[in-house]
Amino acid sequence: MLSAYVCGKVMGLVPEELLTGLSTLNIELEKEMMEQKLNELQVQNADEETIKSEMKMFGIQRANLHGWPNTYSFTKAMAEKLLANIKDCLPVIIISPTVILSTCSEPFPGWIEGVRNSDSVIVGHAKGEITSFPADSNTILDIIPADMVVNSMITALVVHSNNLSKKWIYHIGSSFRNPFKLSNLQDIMYSYFSKNPWVNEDGKPVAINKKIAYLSSMAEFVNCIKKRHVVPKDQVPGQSHRDFNTNNYGEIERAMRMAELYQPYTFFQGIFHDKNAEELGMMAKTIADMDNGFNFNSKDMNWMDYLMNVHIPGLLKHSNKSVRNLAKLWSYLALC
């Protein structure tokens, strides 16, 4: 299983096919360059924290050079290339889900482990610690419940074992048949937490008086967080946030990195075509015991009902420990 967002920076319809750009990607060379960079840092007697930071930055630079926004999508692309290389020798099926949320029905509605993806924004807003975030309200956030992803995997295995399909890449998502915009998430969060406020550690409800504000760019986000949390050492233009006086530099760094991590998704301009996945579902209906038992058709989803009555309650209930651990980080994203 890979991720549909491994496509990198694209616009328009994203087909269910091998990624462009993989033919020129030399995985062995990238591995050698990483090892060389690590050796250089070790020769310089760099400490563990410096090595970790420098290797992260080097990985991002290599990813950006090849057209991927981060090392997550870059390494997923490498995995896809490796799978493509063995496809003629071994049967290969690539399931590429989009943003996976809690289950809609199995093993029970709202089951989830951990706080990831858009969920961290939901939690931060509930706690009153994030009131704005860099995003385009018109961006389609392609979401899919976890059990639908599992259903698609089981279905693909059965269909291919019956030799009913020659396709081997499937997008499991919703942006093509049942799109969900970030503006919809904006409305749903406000509606839910206005009626069901988060109760803080003091036992007091957190009032949500307005919708989360979306900032139009990372530049605007950086400017806002600097104004709120840091004081410039001098008036030299073009300073990075490392050049500002603050006692919270480490937390601000993490907040910046998280916003940068989400940027490729909150400003994403692609739509994931799922024609292969649709055909997969139709083929399954011709197989005994498969009809309607393993649904992964996102067109059937009512996103308002699912998020309000299933996902958000499940997120807050089943990921309580992770929710608590986000408190300090998100406090540095409360910009407005």
Side-chain angles (χ1 to χ4, degrees):
M1 184 177 74
L2 296 177
S3 168
Y5 283 97
V6 73
C7 62
K9 300 176 182 178
V10 298
M11 296 178 64
L13 202 61
V14 182
E16 293 164 292
E17 59 187 34
L18 198 63
L19 296 170
T20 58
L22 288 183
S23 59
T24 59
L25 180 58
N26 188 326
I27 296 176
E28 288 302 318
L29 176 61
E30 293 302 320
K31 182 180 177 181
E32 290 175 8
M33 294 186 69
M34 284 292 174
E35 291 174 347
Q36 181 180 348
K37 178 67 174 179
L38 179 59
N39 289 336
E40 290 176 358
L41 291 168
Q42 291 173 339
V43 169
Q44 296 169 8
N45 293 319
D47 58 48
E48 184 177 347
E49 188 64 29
T50 299
I51 291 176
K52 184 178 179 180
S53 176
E54 289 293 325
M55 292 304 293
K56 280 184 177 181
M57 290 304 300
F58 187 66
I60 292 173
Q61 289 170 9
R62 297 303 301 173
N64 293 164
L65 178 66
H66 291 286
W68 280 274
N70 48 49
T71 53
Y72 171 80
S73 56
F74 187 38
T75 52
K76 290 278 188 179
M78 290 182 182
E80 184 165 314
K81 180 168 185 175
L82 292 174
L83 289 173
N85 290 342
I86 66 171
K87 188 174 77 70
D88 294 334
C89 303
L90 294 171
V92 172
I93 305 170
I94 294 180
I95 300 295
S96 294
T98 51
V99 177
I100 302 176
L101 301 185
S102 64
T103 58
C104 60
S105 57
E106 299 291 339
F108 51 82
W111 176 80
I112 192 172
E113 288 186 349
V115 178
R116 302 176 180 87
N117 304 315
S118 56
D119 291 338
S120 54
V121 178
I122 293 173
V123 170
H125 187 56
K127 297 170 74 68
E129 293 162 351
I130 170 172
T131 56
S132 60
F133 199 74
D136 181 350
S137 61
N138 291 316
T139 290
I140 294 176
L141 180 63
D142 198 315
I143 55 178
I144 191 76
D147 47 342
M148 285 192 168
V149 177
V150 175
N151 288 346
S152 72
M153 297 169 69
I154 295 172
T155 300
L157 288 171
V158 174
V159 167
H160 279 259
S161 67
N162 284 270
N163 296 315
L164 296 178
S165 177
K166 299 298 182 182
K167 306 292 176 58
W168 63 291
I169 299 178
Y170 301 97
H171 285 159
I172 309 301
S174 58
S175 56
F176 185 72
R177 284 188 276 174
N178 192 2
F180 177 81
K181 291 186 177 183
L182 280 174
S183 58
N184 301 134
L185 180 61
Q186 192 179 32
D187 295 337
I188 288 172
M189 286 192 296
Y190 177 73
S191 178
Y192 183 88
F193 293 115
S194 295
K195 300 173 183 176
N196 307 279
W198 173 275
V199 178
N200 63 25
E201 295 179 353
D202 297 326
K204 298 179 180 179
V206 177
I208 301 299
N209 299 317
K210 60 181 180 178
K211 297 178 183 179
I212 187 172
Y214 290 143
L215 305 177
S216 61
S217 67
M218 273 298 298
E220 185 179 355
F221 171 79
V222 171
N223 287 335
C224 285
I225 202 168
K226 283 180 179 179
K227 288 178 181 178
R228 184 174 181 88
H229 294 292
V230 296
V231 179
K233 290 181 178 177
D234 51 48
Q235 300 301 317
V236 178
Q239 297 179 104
S240 73
H241 49 285
R242 288 181 180 273
D243 298 317
F244 284 69
N245 287 321
T246 175
N247 294 324
N248 305 313
Y249 171 70
E251 287 77 8
I252 291 175
E253 278 283 284
R254 287 191 286 274
M256 295 280 194
R257 285 200 299 269
M258 183 167 287
E260 289 169 353
L261 177 66
Y262 286 157
Q263 185 182 12
Y265 313 106
T266 57
F267 291 95
F268 189 71
Q269 298 184 47
I271 300 292
F272 295 109
H273 204 322
D274 59 356
K275 182 179 180 181
N276 291 354
E278 184 178 17
E279 291 177 358
L280 183 69
M282 294 174 65
M283 291 174 187
K285 293 180 180 180
T286 67
I287 301 174
D289 300 325
M290 287 295 292
D291 188 21
N292 298 322
F294 298 89
N295 178 42
F296 56 91
N297 186 355
S298 62
K299 191 174 182 179
D300 298 335
M301 293 296 298
N302 179 323
W303 296 125
M304 171 69 81
D305 178 67
Y306 164 71
L307 287 162
M308 289 283 289
N309 300 314
V310 177
H311 179 63
I312 295 180
L315 169 67
L316 300 180
K317 178 180 180 180
H318 301 298
S319 298
N320 191 44
K321 182 177 180 180
S322 298
V323 167
R324 290 197 304 268
N325 290 340
L326 282 170
K328 186 175 182 180
L329 173 60
W330 281 121
S331 66
Y332 293 98
L333 291 177
L335 306 178
C336 301

